[in-house]
Amino acid sequence: MRVLVLGSGGREHALAWKLSQSPSLTALFVAPGNPGTEAIAPSLAVEPTKPADVVALAKLHHIELVVVGPEAPLVAGVGDALRAAGIPVFGPDAAAARIEGSKAFAKEIMLAAGVPTAGAHVFTDLEAAARHAAAGGPIVVKADGLAAGKGVVVADSGAEAAEAVRALGKLPAGQTVLLEERLSGPELSVMALCDGERAVLLPPSQDHKRLLDGDRGPNTGGMGAYAPARLLTDAQLEQIRREVMLPTLKELARRGTPFRGALYAGLMLTPSGPKVLEFNARLGDPETQVLMMQTADDLLPLLHGAALGALPERPLKVHDGYSVGIVLAAQGYPDAPKSGAIISGLEATGDALVFHAGTKRDARGSVIVSGGRVLTVCARGATVKLAQAKALEAASAITFEGRQLRRDIGHGAPAA
Ligand SMILES: Nc1ncnc2c1ncn2[C@@H]1O[C@H](COP(=O)(O)OP(=O)(O)O)[C@@H](O)[C@H]1O
Ligand SMILES: [Mg+2]
């Protein structure tokens, strides 16, 4: 099968790495790709958010499956355009991707599907929202639209919440806001490969959003992840599949917008059970990097089956032990990441894997920093601690000016 992976981050590098091992693969391309994916598959130039361009590229290369990594192409309708052209695609149509693109829509779907989630009021009148917030206590204020991790404020008081409404109202994404019941508990990500009706779970994982060790410092796109995050039993995960994933798929299908792709549930494990904080319409980054390392199954038939509406509904085959992925971020990330530093030590990594994201080649062929999150260094081990130590050792061999990394990825893992 001829496969095209769309995107240029660590998630897409990891997907390409995993797909490249599939016996049924005959050709693999990544568009636009990065210096890391180039070692696996040729890069094709494309603007991933231009549906007609992606369709033309897929036709040119006789692609039989497109795997869409990031959310922006999905929201832009790349899934719709490919399907309309008869090209199977792993990734939902824009109407179904709204489950990520609009938190109000996601809430509506969850209520209709009976999925456990925080109670919320949706406001399009921001003055009314600010008044409502000011009159109450601790609450979570969320911008409806995509806000690159800057659209949520967990407020400790009514005054702070009202202030958050005004601040979010300055963003295009914040013209509609949600005032949401504030929950508490550890967080966990559960992703499923979906074919519109069926769902196969990937191992549960935990991301680390803050820049610094101990979950301090500013929010980022994610500084590392590990899997499996055993905060739930296998029976509880099966319950998530049946009581979160399947009803959500059923509700989307009932509305005529079946979801074919990766459904990502951000969960909070509250004293009254797991509740969904948000859905994403694609795989997480950096979670995918460790999930691909943990997956023993052949990924290609699963993604192809999901794209065609014929996913084999059986548990995913996974490796024993744990995977830890540590992000190496650029100097100045997340506020003002600095590009241009030469990266050294990329060659010798033992059995750790290094997935590229914000890298490019300069005129002399050296790999340099070109984005905020530069690399994800991943390793497996019998325990989270062992995997973390291996990943840290491999990470320490890779250097560039101002490199930032966390040394505590996986700290939320339950003691074995
Ligand atoms: N209802 C809630 N109660 C408590 N904390 C929340 C709630 N909703 C979100 N959060 C916190 O805010 C973070 C971001 O919210 P989320 O809904 O995942 O939005 P996004 O990832 O789009 O920024 C969550 O990871 C969680 O830590
Ligand atoms: Mg989130």
Side-chain angles (χ1 to χ4, degrees):
M1 191 176 314
R2 300 175 63 83
V3 180
L4 170 65
V5 174
L6 201 61
S8 61
R11 165 183 47 211
E12 291 76 30
H13 187 177
L15 286 166
W17 169 76
K18 184 67 190 164
L19 288 167
S20 72
Q21 296 159 36
S22 176
S24 45
L25 185 83
T26 55
L28 180 65
F29 303 91
V30 185
N34 65 41
T37 64
E38 264 160 27
I40 301 173
S43 290
L44 302 175
V46 79
E47 182 58 61
T49 53
K50 292 196 170 151
D53 293 5
V54 175
V55 170
L57 187 75
K59 282 188 173 160
L60 182 66
H61 293 275
H62 307 288
I63 297 301
E64 298 167 279
L65 174 68
V66 178
V67 178
V68 182
E71 62 277 17
L74 298 169
V75 171
V78 163
D80 308 59
L82 287 163
R83 263 182 279 271
I87 301 165
V89 49
F90 180 80
D93 284 348
R98 266 186 87 207
I99 200 157
E100 170 164 3
S102 164
K103 290 191 192 290
F105 177 72
K107 197 58 84 175
E108 183 188 319
I109 296 289
M110 285 190 262
L111 287 180
V115 168
T117 183
H121 291 285
V122 178
F123 291 87
T124 49
D125 176 345
L126 297 187
E127 267 314 306
R131 278 196 304 276
H132 186 99
I139 203 167
V140 180
V141 186
K142 296 188 173 185
D144 177 50
L146 294 178
K150 298 197 183 333
V152 173
V153 177
V154 180
D156 289 322
S157 69
E160 197 187 318
E163 184 47 43
V165 171
R166 291 190 193 99
L168 293 178
K170 298 201 173 88
L171 305 175
Q175 299 316 298
T176 295
V177 298
L178 285 76
L179 297 184
E180 193 167 289
E181 172 195 2
R182 184 166 161 184
L183 306 172
S184 64
E187 291 182 53
L188 183 69
S189 303
V190 178
M191 289 163 233
L193 310 177
C194 304
D195 73 348
E197 189 183 334
R198 285 165 289 264
V200 171
L201 293 191
L202 295 168
S205 59
Q206 277 187 317
D207 186 8
H208 300 65
K209 285 287 180 201
R210 304 296 199 93
L211 181 69
L212 304 173
D213 281 12
D215 296 324
R216 293 173 301 114
N219 240 342
T220 70
M223 293 297 292
Y226 78 99
R230 298 197 189 279
L231 281 80
L232 294 175
T233 63
D234 286 351
Q236 287 172 311
L237 286 169
E238 174 58 16
Q239 205 171 347
I240 298 289
R241 196 180 74 83
R242 277 189 285 104
E243 295 174 12
V244 172
M245 300 300 183
L246 296 184
T248 300
L249 294 177
K250 196 167 183 186
E251 178 61 20
L252 287 168
R254 191 186 68 76
R255 293 170 181 236
T257 56
F259 188 101
R260 291 180 178 168
L263 186 59
Y264 173 132
L267 301 170
M268 194 168 257
L269 308 182
T270 78
S272 52
K275 295 194 177 174
V276 177
L277 297 182
E278 66 161 347
F279 280 120
N280 292 321
R282 36 81 196 173
L283 294 167
D285 186 336
E287 296 94 320
T288 302
Q289 289 86 311
V290 292
L291 293 176
M292 290 303 107
M293 246 193 146
Q294 276 301 112
T295 301
D297 241 308
D298 182 359
L299 187 67
L300 182 47
L302 292 168
L303 299 189
H304 191 236
L308 296 184
L311 186 66
E313 202 165 34
R314 56 162 177 82
L316 188 80
K317 292 182 194 129
V318 293
H319 294 298
D320 289 341
Y322 298 83
S323 295
V324 168
I326 299 172
V327 169
L328 304 188
Q331 181 169 22
Y333 179 76
D335 294 333
K338 192 167 169 258
S339 290
I342 292 179
I343 304 169
S344 62
L346 276 170
E347 305 75 25
T349 56
D351 56 359
L353 291 174
V354 179
F355 297 117
H356 288 230
T359 66
K360 69 174 188 188
R361 282 191 193 278
D362 68 8
R364 294 145 126 195
S366 307
V367 178
I368 61 169
V369 172
S370 70
R373 292 190 294 166
V374 182
L375 302 161
T376 312
V377 182
C378 299
R380 266 173 58 203
T383 65
V384 176
K385 271 277 162 225
L386 287 169
Q388 185 198 67
K390 259 170 113 180
L392 274 173
E393 192 189 326
S396 65
I398 303 172
T399 55
F400 54 86
E401 198 189 340
R403 184 196 70 165
Q404 305 187 74
L405 82 167
R406 281 181 63 162
R407 299 182 178 278
D408 66 345
I409 302 301
H411 70 80

